[in-house]
Amino acid sequence: MTAAPATRHFLRDDDITPAEQREILDLAERLKTDRFQVRPLEGPQTVAVIFDKSSTRTRVSFAVGIADLGGQPLIISTASSQLGGKETPSDTARVLERMVSAIVWRTYGQAGLEEMAAGTTVPVINALSDDFHPCQLLADLLTIREHKGSLEGLTVAFIGDGADNMVHSYLLAGATAGMHVRVGCPAEYSPKDAVIADADRIAAETGGSITIFTDPLETVAGADVVVTDTWVSMGKEEEKAARVATLARYRVDDEMMSLAKPDAIFLHCLPADRGYEVTAEVIDGPQSVIWDESENRLHAQKALLVWLLERSTGGSGAGS
Ligand code: CP
Ligand code: NVA
């Protein structure tokens, strides 16, 4: 007897192979043309969506996406649950898997997500942690592909806080897509060495590359895609003054954009602090594709859910 394949989770961008990433993006593209064509959660089955941190896009796109797939979202705020207080991630997962088909969790440490995934038979999805934001990257890649036709060989320049969850996800997901990922950041806010090493290894297989710069203008030169994110991620509010002082020369403005390719596009996962990491002229200007990017959260996450549910071994919620 062959053992059933293990349930797949999506905790980091490199939890999927290059072929699997393409498969999910292709499905997202199809679901964007006809939102209600697949209904794997018909029943309705429930998906738990848990938030330790604030959210607009993630909350709405998962809630709407789960409903589009025939299911019902159960949005849980950690502050009003036992998780994070009296109960461990693995005990929480054991309870939820008897009633839900998947668990989506926005949290702080990556370790909690790993513990939750190790303890359950239903897919666990990282809806943002301190280290990664892989659902956002599926939406970003979908957006870039829509505007540029393909991903492989494109140069993406991320400017700003290099220790940010978005940067780590760009390194892994961009490398997986065969892109040339450049990060322009101050030495104090550099990506984690372990993530750079993982991204380098993936890039060596896909034909992509990873380069870390301290000069933002050098980073952006000739880029196809320019990306930034807030300088003050959730949980880092007390560091705001120091961050703003150190990151001041990493603001994306018209002058910086003029060094990228003339047809370069600008992305930002939002929420944005206009006047800090990006000027209003750029984020609200003709090269910005932020509203497509934010809509694509819906289509990308639906594709991810469909793909993971097909690979789930269970939880009674999945079959009932
Ligand atoms: N981009 C993103 O994840 O937005 P929210 O924090 O509003 O979910
Ligand atoms: N880096 C930001 C992303 C917000 C969607 C944060 O973690 O707050």
Side-chain angles (χ1 to χ4, degrees), residues 155-314:
T155 296
V156 52
F158 187 105
I159 310 293
D161 175 9
D164 179 81
N165 40 21
M166 283 296 293
V167 170
H168 291 141
S169 278
Y170 258 98
L171 289 170
L172 296 182
T176 303
M179 299 171 90
H180 303 293
V181 184
R182 298 185 195 161
V183 178
C185 61
E188 298 93 310
Y189 300 119
S190 297
K192 288 189 174 178
D193 290 340
V195 178
I196 297 176
D198 288 339
D200 270 333
R201 186 181 39 74
I202 298 167
E205 287 164 16
T206 61
S209 65
I210 303 299
T211 322
I212 313 296
F213 299 85
T214 49
D215 180 357
L217 304 183
E218 198 183 342
T219 315
V220 89
D224 300 285
V225 181
V226 180
V227 192
T228 191
D229 185 19
T230 181
W231 290 343
V232 190
S233 283
M234 289 178 275
K236 300 192 172 133
E237 290 78 4
E238 286 179 6
E239 300 170 21
K240 181 168 180 176
R243 289 175 158 272
V244 169
T246 308
L247 287 158
R249 77 185 178 105
Y250 295 85
R251 176 173 302 119
V252 179
D253 58 13
D254 280 335
E255 191 190 335
M256 201 182 281
M257 285 303 290
S258 73
L259 301 175
K261 288 202 179 128
D263 63 351
I265 54 173
F266 171 81
L267 281 86
H268 188 311
C269 68
L270 305 175
D273 293 317
R274 286 171 177 76
Y276 288 87
E277 72 270 12
V278 61
T279 61
E281 287 72 24
V282 171
I283 197 168
D284 300 320
Q287 289 169 284
S288 175
V289 296
I290 56 168
W291 307 122
D292 292 341
E293 181 187 4
S294 122
E295 178 192 330
N296 282 338
R297 292 293 302 275
L298 172 68
H299 312 300
Q301 287 158 194
K302 282 171 64 184
L304 175 70
L305 271 169
V306 171
W307 192 88
L308 288 172
L309 289 166
E310 282 169 0
R311 286 154 185 81
S312 171
T313 56

Side-chain angles (χ1 to χ4, degrees), residues 78-154:
T78 318
S80 59
S81 78
Q82 305 289 12
L83 177 64
K86 282 172 129 174
E87 199 151 36
T88 62
S90 64
D91 282 0
T92 303
R94 295 293 297 275
V95 173
L96 291 180
E97 73 179 10
R98 299 291 180 102
M99 297 175 242
V100 307
S101 301
I103 301 169
V104 179
W105 188 17
R106 166 167 289 193
T107 187
Y108 292 87
Q110 192 71 12
L113 281 157
E114 281 159 16
E115 183 188 325
M116 174 122 25
T120 184
T121 53
V122 297
V124 176
I125 296 175
N126 178 358
L128 180 147
S129 62
D130 289 344
D131 287 343
F132 301 103
H133 197 359
C135 291
Q136 181 70 52
L137 257 288
L138 288 177
D140 282 26
L141 294 183
L142 183 62
T143 309
I144 297 167
R145 210 169 76 158
E146 281 171 356
H147 284 269
K148 295 286 165 196
S150 62
L151 298 173
E152 211 174 337
L154 290 181

